[in-house]
Amino acid sequence: MTLTLTGCGAGSGDGDVTLKLIAADYGDSEANSSRHYWDNLAHEFEKKNPGIKVDVDVYSWTEVDKKVEDLVKAGKAPDMAQVGAYADYAARHQLYSTDKLLSIPTEADFTPGISDAGEYNRVQYGMPFGASTRRLFYNKKLFAKAGITSPPKTWDDIAHDAQLLKEHGVKMPFALPLGPEETQAETLLWMLGGGGGYTDTIGKYTIDSPQNIRTFQWLQKNLVAKGLTGEAPADVNRADAFQGFADGDVGMLNGHPTLMKQAEAKGVDYGTTELPGIDGKAKTTMGVADWMMAFKQPGHRSEVGKFLDFVYTTKNVLKFSSTYGLLPVTSSASQAMMSDDKYSKLHGFLEQLPHAQFYPADKTSWPLVSKTLKAKMGAAVGPRGNPSAVLTDIQNTADAADNTVG
């Protein structure tokens, strides 16, 4: 469904400039659609800037990227788009860099680790908008029944605790969602726990590194083969795993902040902890950010900059983040959240954000690599899977895509 907002503040009908923004919907119903957030924000901005009108179209996540792509191809790029990726447009020189848009205080306020993830060829084009990190969730009631007194700190602890949960009748001791929905996320979490990742420090793909191969061989042997994941990972999507946790059928899983609300709605007594790694706590966790970008084509650089300075005020960032269970992308809003006890359950996630590892979203090859991961990683850890061969196959796809785009 498309939700179109026409700014309704002072000056709406007679503004000198109309800015067009395409945005993604973070709500799961009409009642909490992002449309309401943007409606209020556009109204406030227009009252303070009567010469500028803001029109926002809000689309579901399944539609929004394609909508922006189609508009750009048709020569009708919006002034701004708030979506999942920016690198393709940056590579084609279609975006303003952030230093051409934002005031110095606004630009300097982005959380450093996320800000770096918005760079293409060391120039920032992607402005983070909404972020999350991952932690291990565990069901305290199921742990107590199985005699487990503390959350796992290592992979061996996970395997040991999952076995105890299985023996006490838990359907899915450890949910491992490697189905096609968000495989690239679960894959990266385990890579990080094993000392690997998607790329090295200079951005070269390292998908078939020895560390990554060892990681998925461990999963295949110690969790999947022993029946500790319940269903086959290739058949489990993130949404299934989250629902299973909320229903009390999952003992442990990797999750992001929105799972808290889902679990609390069903009365699940849960805890979260830092990700376990192969020989201790994982050195880092995964971070995810969505992106705001501004297109050159409409030519409203000054007006867009004014609007984005307003979007990224502490008040507005905190309001959006708290409404949708996300982490703030600015230092000022993060400090406000950390100092407020009503957000205490988010503090552990927020503390991890500056050092989190993000997808290589600055690489134009990443969408293809992500799609390939979704198609192949689930089967890699199955009974007849070959983690080494699958990771090498994906590495070859990644290298070929990198060479094609230069």
Side-chain angles (χ1 to χ4, degrees):
M1 185 173 106
T2 307
L3 304 165
T4 302
L5 313 181
T6 304
C8 50
S12 289
D14 54 0
D16 299 322
V17 170
T18 297
L19 300 180
K20 189 69 174 183
L21 167 63
I22 306 291
D25 196 352
Y26 289 79
D28 55 15
S29 67
E30 165 56 28
N32 71 350
S33 168
S34 302
R35 175 173 61 84
H36 304 297
Y37 172 81
W38 288 114
D39 198 3
N40 292 329
L41 190 140
H43 181 88
E44 275 190 61
F45 176 77
E46 288 182 4
K47 280 198 295 187
K48 296 178 180 179
N49 299 272
I52 308 172
K53 181 173 176 289
V54 182
D55 285 346
V56 188
D57 285 352
V58 178
Y59 293 88
S60 72
W61 273 109
T62 57
E63 301 173 289
V64 68
D65 288 291
K66 182 70 162 57
K67 180 64 179 177
V68 174
E69 184 184 331
D70 289 346
L71 286 170
V72 173
K73 282 181 179 175
K76 299 176 182 177
D79 291 279
M80 295 160 285
Q82 183 270 300
V83 291
Y86 66 87
D88 276 351
Y89 302 112
R92 294 196 290 265
H93 310 290
Q94 294 171 317
L95 303 179
Y96 288 118
S97 57
T98 57
D99 62 334
K100 299 287 197 296
L101 294 165
L102 304 175
S103 67
I104 291 173
T106 300
E107 191 178 15
D109 198 24
F110 287 126
T111 303
I114 320 178
S115 185
D116 294 345
E119 294 182 359
Y120 177 79
N121 285 345
R122 300 189 179 180
V123 177
Q124 187 178 356
Y125 296 94
M127 292 160 273
F129 191 89
S132 68
T133 59
R134 302 294 195 268
R135 289 169 70 82
L136 182 81
F137 283 69
Y138 59 98
N139 184 311
K140 289 183 177 180
K141 182 178 177 182
L142 296 180
F143 266 46
K145 281 185 177 178
I148 306 167
T149 56
S150 61
K153 292 183 172 62
T154 68
W155 287 358
D156 284 346
D157 292 343
I158 286 178
H160 176 264
D161 293 349
Q163 184 63 45
L164 290 175
L165 290 165
K166 183 183 178 184
E167 289 168 5
H168 283 78
V170 176
K171 285 185 186 177
M172 196 175 281
F174 194 102
L176 186 64
L178 291 175
E181 182 190 0
E182 206 191 31
T183 324
Q184 78 282 7
E186 191 72 15
T187 297
L188 180 55
L189 287 168
W190 285 95
M191 285 179 171
L192 293 172
Y198 284 134
T199 60
D200 60 19
T201 54
I202 59 170
K204 186 180 186 305
Y205 282 115
T206 54
I207 293 166
D208 65 347
S209 69
Q211 295 95 326
N212 290 343
I213 290 171
R214 176 184 62 178
T215 290
F216 289 94
Q217 288 174 337
W218 186 94
L219 276 174
Q220 183 184 43
K221 177 183 175 184
N222 295 282
L223 290 188
V224 182
K226 294 180 179 178
L228 300 180
T229 61
E231 298 176 37
D235 297 332
V236 180
N237 280 322
R238 183 195 65 182
D240 304 324
F242 278 21
Q243 188 60 53
F245 190 77
D247 290 341
D249 294 331
V250 171
M252 298 175 274
L253 79 169
N254 296 318
H256 54 64
T258 56
L259 179 55
M260 296 191 297
K261 191 178 289 187
Q262 196 172 343
E264 286 162 5
K266 289 289 196 82
V268 175
D269 185 14
Y270 67 90
T272 73
T273 188
E274 293 174 68
L275 296 183
I278 193 166
D279 52 12
K281 287 182 180 178
K283 292 180 175 62
T284 187
T285 187
M286 183 184 82
V288 173
D290 300 317
W291 304 100
M292 177 75 78
M293 54 190 167
F295 288 92
K296 292 178 181 177
Q297 188 200 336
H300 300 140
R301 181 171 67 89
S302 174
E303 293 84 0
V304 167
K306 274 187 183 179
F307 180 65
L308 290 176
D309 277 341
F310 183 72
V311 167
Y312 284 105
T313 58
T314 303
K315 182 187 82 167
N316 287 331
V317 172
L318 190 59
K319 181 180 178 183
F320 179 83
S321 303
S322 59
T323 299
Y324 295 106
L326 295 166
L327 304 179
V329 295
T330 62
S331 298
S332 61
S334 295
Q335 288 164 8
M337 183 174 274
M338 283 298 292
S339 62
D340 192 331
D341 285 345
K342 76 178 178 183
Y343 301 118
S344 59
K345 288 185 176 179
L346 284 169
H347 289 173
F349 293 91
L350 190 52
E351 286 166 353
Q352 301 176 150
L353 188 57
H355 309 291
Q357 182 81 43
F358 291 82
Y359 297 136
D362 59 324
K363 296 170 78 68
T364 56
S365 56
W366 172 243
L368 174 62
V369 174
S370 178
K371 183 179 177 181
T372 309
L373 286 158
K374 290 178 181 182
K376 297 185 176 181
M377 283 309 299
V381 296
R384 291 182 290 278
N386 184 333
S388 178
V390 170
L391 290 169
T392 299
D393 186 29
I394 299 171
Q395 176 76 37
N396 292 338
T397 298
D399 287 342
D402 254 5
N403 291 335
T404 299
V405 300

